[in-house]
Each structure stands twice: as structure tokens, then as C-alpha cells.
Amino acid sequence: MSQRYTFETQLLHNKHKVDPATGGVSVPIQHASTFHQVSADEFGKYDYSRSLNPTREALEEIIAELEGGVRGFAFSSGMAAISTAFLLLSQGDHVVVTEDVYGGTYRMVTQVLNRFGIEHTFVDMTDLEAVEEAIRPNTALLYAETPSNPLLKVTDIRAISEIAKKHSALTFVDNTFMTPYLQRPLDLGADIVLHSATKFLSGHSDTVAGLAVVKDEELAKRLYSLQNSFGAVLGVQDAWLVMRGIKTLSVRMNQSQESARKIAGFLLKQPLIKNVYYPGLLNHPQSGIQKQQAYGTGAVLSFELENAEVLSRFIEQVKLPVFAVSLGAVESILSYPAKMSHAAMPQHERERRGISEGLLRLSVGLESAEDLIADIEQALNTIGIFAVKKEEVR
Ligand SMILES: *Cc1c(COP(=O)(O)O)cnc(C)c1O
């Protein structure tokens, strides 16, 4: 593209803005699984939709441009994207994985890859010395997720990529929490960026999808071959939903992020809240790195109540957020990591990582911040009164 538009404009004005066949201003959904070929020795660009489909291809080109990579790939879920990218590894390889990685990725690494002779070490990736120490002669991959789930720890993507390069290893970054609007890992040295497009990119809690974007052609060819071999491709209806979601990404992100900042500030002052985790808070240990490598602090925060009992009372009182797994949607979503996203992790591992039974994660949606704060406040007040009454009874 000759002229470089701002990201907001790029979200709308890409090569798929107008359908060349009809002038339609929405990418057509091509349902065909197979494509007619003109002769026995001349095959067209499309032959079979697992290998390439025009609707999926449009999404793949859009995400590649937004992330600044050479090629994008759309998968049937975030885990399909992540698992397929892991298939770039071979038996005998070793991976260094950030320790508070998404629960499904933890399960993939510890219960699936291990059976294929792929070793792993979990490290706190905010500690670069620990990352260096975890590297072995057979380390082929450093896997980061930043800000991490659910404790919002920030990994220095540039530093991790440099360590990886020094040891001829690849760097993958799960960019689900930030999206390319707020963070572009390929520009910071990563080789592959991964997404659960189920979250902010589609943004409406109505589709499950995954994306991968690759920085160089050689790696792109290998990942394409794996996408086609493994076959966990995204369906065309879902590809269309993700493309529609992407058009409003920046306005959704801006609004949710601003509310998240206000809510984090409010929570910080509440006596019933033990800890607040949000990279936009000044007391966040890596707020400086976040500022350097990202254009914002996102719309997800976590906070800790005293224990599981107080937490369940809070959940009963709070009215606006849906209580559910997932994040990154127009409606606020409150989740319970210990019982939801990180249920696949053994209790002692969760506790060692600080994912306590009193921890809640809030993905801030598009409701007004004032309403959300008032709702949280009334819930805290109610459980506060309850706590006092209990004292009196004793
Ligand atoms: C949800 C999520 C995934 C998994 O994506 P699915 O679309 O649910 O398969 C991976 N990483 C992060 C950070 C997530 O939040």
C-alpha cells in the first residue's frame, strides 16, 4: 500500500473493502467446499476449501496486514491456532513457556506435547535471568503471553525475542489480550503471533476462532502446510463474523480500556479487595515495559477477594457482568480463573502462581463505567454488611 493509514482507518480500508465481482461492501461468504477446474493440467487458485477458501483468505490477509506479518492463518479456535503452531516443533525439542499461560495452552503443553517427546519448562517470563537459565541445547521455542492470564504480568517481548534468537529458537506470542490495535509482537521481534479471535477481535461472544500471523515467508510456508495437514480451519460464517468484529475493534477497545482504568482505580481503594492486577496501575511492577511495547493497557483486569466464600457472595450480588468464561466482548464478563480458565491446572500449581480461590478476572465491556462501578460497589457493600453482621452474631 502506497499510503500508510492510521490503524483505525486500516481496520476498514483494506483490499477487501469492496467485493470486486459485485461492488458489495462486505466480504461475500463463499460456502463452496470445492472449486471447478478448467482442465486436467491447469488448476485455479482455489481447489478445496480446507486448503484455501476466499472468505477465510480475506480474514487471513486482513489480520496479516494488521499484525504486520507476511501471512495470516485462520483456525477453528484459538487452541487450534496455538496447537497447530506448536506442530512446528519436532520430537526432542524443548519449549520454554511463560508460567501463567492460558489454561488450554498449559494442557496442550503438559498433556499432549509431552507424549510426542517435546519437553517443556515453565518460567516466570518477567524474570529474564530465569528465562536464560531455562534454555537448554534443544530449546526450539520461547512461548510468551502478555499481559498474561489472569495475573496481567507483562513480558518484555523484545528481550524475550532477543534471547530466543541468540539460541536459534523461535518466539511465539499470544496477543489475545492486546490485539494488534494495542500491541504488535512481530514488530518487537517475535516470529509468530497467535490469537484467540473468540475474544476482542470478534468481540461479541458469538464465535469461536483462532488466528496466527507469521513474520517470514519460510515459516509461513511451514505453517501453511501444517494448517492444511492438521485441517483445523475456520468455517466461512465464522470468518465473516471475525471480519465484522474487526471493523469496530478500535472503538470497542478504546471504550473498554477507559472503563477498565476507572474500575481498576476504584477497586484499588476498596478495603474488601486484597489485590488489583492491571498493567495500567502505577503500582503494577511492569507498567513501564507495558508503556514501551504497547499502545495501551487493555480491558482486562483481575482482583482478589479474601477467599472463595467471599467471592461466591460477591458473584451472587453483582448484576451487570455475565459470570462466564471468556473475555473481550461487548458485555462485561466476570470469570473465576481457579474454576474456569485454569481448572486444567493442578491446585498447587495454581497457588504457586498466585491464582488463588479469591481471584476474579473482569473483562470490561461497553456498559458505562459509572454503572459498572456502582454495581461492584453495591455488591461490595452488601457483602461488607454481611461480614459485620456475622461478627455481631459471634
Ligand atoms: C481464550 C484464550 C485462548 C484459547 O482460545 P479459544 O478460542 O478458546 O480456543 C488462548 N489464549 C488466550 C489468552 C485466551 O484468552
Side-chain angles (χ1 to χ4, degrees):
M1 207 186 287
S2 53
Q3 181 171 359
R4 196 82 194 146
Y5 292 114
T6 60
F7 191 89
E8 287 84 345
T9 304
Q10 274 187 66
L11 288 174
L12 302 157
H13 297 265
N14 50 55
K15 75 181 249 210
H16 299 288
K17 171 171 132 182
V18 175
D19 171 29
T22 63
V25 294
S26 170
V27 172
I29 299 179
Q30 177 52 267
H31 265 282
S33 60
T34 189
F35 297 80
H36 176 67
Q37 306 302 326
V38 286
S39 73
D41 34 40
E42 211 185 320
F43 278 34
K45 180 177 178 189
Y46 305 102
D47 56 18
Y48 186 60
S49 276
R50 170 165 37 72
S51 308
L52 194 63
N53 167 284
T55 309
R56 191 178 80 232
E57 183 187 27
L59 169 61
E60 294 179 334
E61 288 180 354
I62 288 169
I63 193 65
E65 185 183 337
L66 296 177
E67 286 284 7
V70 297
R71 190 153 176 192
F73 300 94
F75 295 90
S76 55
S77 69
M79 281 319 304
I82 292 165
S83 303
T84 305
F86 272 130
L87 294 180
L88 287 162
L89 298 169
S90 300
Q91 186 178 16
D93 283 347
H94 171 250
V95 294
V96 177
V97 184
T98 187
E99 72 174 2
D100 49 351
V101 72
Y102 176 73
T105 308
Y106 177 87
R107 181 169 49 212
M108 180 67 195
V109 169
T110 58
Q111 294 178 28
V112 182
L113 293 186
N114 65 324
R115 292 195 291 106
F116 294 86
I118 295 167
E119 305 172 322
H120 60 266
T121 306
F122 288 103
V123 292
D124 176 354
M125 281 206 173
T126 63
D127 181 351
L128 296 175
E129 266 173 43
V131 174
E132 283 274 9
E133 273 167 30
I135 298 210
R136 299 182 194 166
N138 59 339
T139 301
L141 171 65
L142 270 60
Y143 188 98
E145 191 181 312
T146 180
S148 71
N149 183 14
L151 293 174
L152 289 307
K153 285 191 194 170
V154 176
T155 295
D156 186 336
I157 298 172
R158 205 182 286 276
I160 291 293
S161 307
E162 274 166 20
I163 295 173
K165 284 202 178 71
K166 207 167 72 190
H167 297 276
S168 307
L170 295 172
T171 306
F172 294 177
V173 176
D174 182 332
N175 201 27
T176 300
F177 274 39
M178 288 282 100
T179 80
Y181 179 49
L182 297 179
Q183 178 170 277
R184 295 197 270 288
L186 300 183
D187 291 348
L188 300 165
D191 298 289
I192 297 186
V193 54
L194 296 157
H195 282 283
S196 169
T198 312
K199 316 294 167 57
F200 290 102
L201 291 172
S202 63
H204 293 69
S205 301
D206 56 11
T207 183
V208 173
L211 296 169
V213 181
V214 181
K215 189 167 181 165
D216 78 67
E217 294 287 356
E218 195 271 330
L219 202 54
K221 275 195 196 119
R222 288 171 60 204
L223 192 60
Y224 170 72
S225 169
L226 287 167
Q227 182 194 37
N228 196 29
S229 303
F230 196 63
V233 292
L234 187 62
V236 292
Q237 301 270 359
D238 293 318
W240 187 87
L241 281 168
V242 177
M243 283 188 276
R244 180 159 78 172
I246 285 175
K247 292 182 183 189
T248 55
L249 177 65
S250 63
V251 280
R252 286 186 287 108
M253 262 298 182
N254 284 341
Q255 166 76 20
S256 292
Q257 174 172 261
E258 191 171 326
S259 300
R261 282 204 196 107
K262 289 182 187 161
I263 293 167
F266 167 81
L267 289 171
L268 209 55
K269 288 182 257 157
Q270 305 308 308
L272 286 177
I273 308 286
K274 268 169 56 176
N275 282 303
V276 185
Y277 304 94
Y278 181 62
L281 291 173
L282 287 175
N283 72 353
H284 187 286
Q286 298 96 30
S287 63
I289 297 169
Q290 181 68 17
K291 231 185 190 143
Q292 267 172 32
Q293 71 182 9
Y295 305 104
T297 49
V300 181
L301 56 98
S302 292
F303 56 98
E304 193 177 18
L305 289 154
E306 191 57 41
N307 53 40
E309 197 197 334
V310 177
L311 178 144
S312 60
R313 268 187 275 132
F314 180 81
I315 296 295
E316 280 163 25
Q317 293 304 324
V318 82
K319 292 185 181 69
L320 280 179
V322 294
F323 182 52
V325 296
S326 202
L327 58 105
V330 287
E331 61 281 323
S332 293
I333 302 177
L334 193 59
S335 334
Y336 189 9
K339 296 265 169 78
M340 292 177 173
S341 57
H342 289 66
M345 196 177 273
Q347 189 183 358
H348 65 276
E349 287 295 326
R350 275 201 309 268
E351 278 171 6
R352 203 175 58 71
R353 288 164 166 81
I355 307 168
S356 77
E357 308 251 293
L359 188 76
L360 283 172
R361 187 188 72 204
L362 179 66
S363 164
V364 180
L366 302 181
E367 304 89 348
S368 90
E370 287 64 37
D371 286 343
L372 287 168
I373 288 172
D375 187 32
I376 296 169
E377 189 167 31
Q378 66 78 26
L380 289 173
N381 285 343
T382 310
I383 61 177
I385 292 163
F386 189 81
V388 173
K389 276 200 183 135
K390 215 163 132 188
E391 285 298 313
E392 284 169 359
V393 172
R394 274 182 197 149

